[in-house]
Amino acid sequence: MERVVEDFILYLHETKNTSKNTEVSYERDLKKLIRYLQEQDLTSFSEVTCTDLQGYLNKIKSENLAASTISRNIASIRALYHYLLKKGIVAEDPTEVLHTPKIEKKLPEILSVEEVDRLLKQPDIRTPKGIRDNAMMELLYATGMRVSELIHLSTTDINLQMGYVVCHDSDKERIIPIGNVSRNAILQYMEHSRGFFTKDTNESALFTNCSGKSMSRQGFWKVLKGYAADAGIHRDITPHTLRHSFAAHMLQNGADVKSVQEMLGHADISSTQIYLGLNVSKMRDVYMKAHPRH
């Protein structure tokens, strides 16, 4: 059974191009499943029934694991059995009757408009580093792009004359407009700061670190956390917080959900609609504070 799981993980890596984190999680989940099955004197996945799998789920539920952890375990088992069916190792899929626990969606952490304004005023634009940091933060908030997309931008992805950026998401591209504030910040960076960092004239990365190489996610996260502390924002914000804030502020100011979905690059509109919940929460707070008969 262990060898089957090893082959399955290799299949995920080579055929499905899954991330290292996914592979590590699946392997850990499935090794735990194997230990349980072997305790039940089961030595082959073809012997396993839906009753056996339900017994395993009952066991891990008794361990008071989070619903998200149990859901991931079920996803791991289902993915394994899809592979086993495909390879003809099993004749039936016993995972069809497994029920995934409902996971309560948490509202994303967002900054207020005033907090974003304070944050974006922190870089010292009299220095090359401050000009660069200002351009990166302004662009992130102007577009709502992911930090991985931001750090992989090349100089040819920005069209300052037309005011848009081409954002690369896996094998897809999307065009996102940028406002005048972000456009001017990038213009200042290109004219007065980028050459300070980039000694190699062939370097195509739009934003680089102090060594002139493409900035890492961790590098930008560290930069952002420093400015958040300077701005007196004591919450644990990440680059994704600016993406969440962009979406929430756009919807609060009248943007339609479909347009925001396209700008964020969400495949499913339900991923975007979670930000509407933030609007409802905001309206409820306003109502409770203002209505005389609340």
Side-chain angles (χ1 to χ4, degrees):
M1 295 172 93
E2 288 88 349
R3 180 58 190 270
V4 172
V5 167
E6 288 174 9
D7 290 344
F8 168 60
I9 299 300
L10 186 63
Y11 163 79
L12 289 179
H13 181 76
E14 293 183 346
T15 307
K16 297 295 186 180
N17 297 316
T18 46
S19 71
K20 183 65 178 175
N21 285 345
T22 298
E23 291 163 16
V24 169
S25 297
Y26 276 27
E27 186 171 17
R28 183 173 59 241
D29 294 343
L30 294 172
K31 283 184 175 178
K32 187 175 179 180
L33 170 67
I34 289 172
R35 286 195 296 272
Y36 170 83
L37 294 175
Q38 289 174 341
E39 288 169 2
Q40 313 306 311
D41 295 324
L42 296 165
T43 57
S44 168
F45 286 113
S46 60
E47 300 172 2
V48 178
T49 66
C50 57
T51 304
D52 296 321
L53 293 181
Q54 194 59 58
Y56 173 67
L57 290 183
N58 291 338
K59 178 181 180 296
I60 63 174
K61 285 176 184 176
S62 70
E63 297 170 2
N64 294 321
L65 299 176
S68 57
T69 303
I70 294 169
S71 292
R72 195 200 61 230
N73 270 269
I74 293 173
S76 303
I77 298 168
R78 280 183 177 149
L80 172 66
Y81 269 91
H82 288 166
Y83 165 79
L84 297 177
L85 274 172
K86 184 182 178 74
K87 294 293 182 180
I89 297 172
V90 299
E92 295 180 348
D93 183 0
T95 68
E96 290 180 348
V97 297
L98 301 182
H99 297 293
T100 304
K102 188 174 182 181
I103 301 174
E104 185 178 340
K105 279 192 174 181
K106 292 183 179 178
L107 292 178
E109 183 79 32
I110 69 161
L111 301 175
S112 67
V113 174
E114 187 271 333
E115 285 175 319
V116 171
D117 189 52
R118 243 178 31 236
L119 176 67
L120 297 182
K121 284 179 178 175
Q122 295 309 311
D124 183 355
I125 55 175
R126 296 169 297 179
T127 67
K129 181 181 181 300
I131 293 172
R132 180 203 65 188
D133 297 346
N134 179 61
M136 292 185 78
M137 288 162 59
E138 286 286 0
L139 183 59
L140 199 60
Y141 179 60
T143 60
M145 68 173 65
R146 302 172 181 88
V147 66
S148 56
E149 296 166 339
L150 176 77
I151 62 175
H152 286 118
L153 288 175
S154 69
T155 52
T156 56
D157 291 325
I158 290 280
N159 189 320
L160 294 176
Q161 186 175 359
M162 300 297 291
Y164 68 80
V165 58
V166 179
C167 197
H168 303 275
D169 175 13
S170 300
D171 58 343
K172 296 176 289 186
E173 290 184 350
R174 66 186 190 280
I175 294 175
I176 313 173
I178 56 176
N180 286 330
V181 175
S182 177
R183 178 183 173 276
N184 291 335
I186 297 167
L187 191 60
Q188 289 297 310
Y189 165 68
M190 296 295 286
E191 291 182 354
H192 304 294
S193 176
R194 186 172 181 273
F196 179 84
F197 300 104
T198 312
K199 309 307 178 188
D200 182 359
T201 55
N202 294 319
E203 177 58 59
S204 61
L206 177 62
F207 297 112
T208 70
N209 57 25
C210 294
S211 301
K213 301 300 180 184
S214 183
M215 183 174 285
S216 67
R217 293 174 59 178
Q218 294 83 356
F220 180 69
W221 192 343
K222 188 176 179 181
V223 166
L224 184 66
K225 286 174 81 73
Y227 287 129
D230 294 341
I233 300 169
H234 301 299
R235 284 178 282 163
D236 188 23
I237 74 167
T238 71
H240 225 64
T241 308
L242 281 178
R243 176 172 163 86
H244 293 322
S245 302
F246 159 83
H249 297 167
M250 288 287 285
L251 291 169
Q252 286 169 8
N253 285 307
D256 65 278
V257 180
K258 185 68 177 173
S259 295
V260 175
Q261 177 196 0
E262 290 176 4
M263 285 184 271
L264 291 173
H266 283 159
D268 189 338
I269 200 166
S270 65
S271 300
T272 315
Q273 286 172 330
I274 191 170
Y275 297 106
L276 291 173
L278 294 166
N279 282 348
V280 173
S281 299
K282 181 180 174 66
M283 285 189 287
R284 188 182 296 113
D285 289 343
V286 170
Y287 181 92
M288 295 300 285
K289 288 175 182 176
H291 198 284
R293 295 175 68 87
H294 68 272

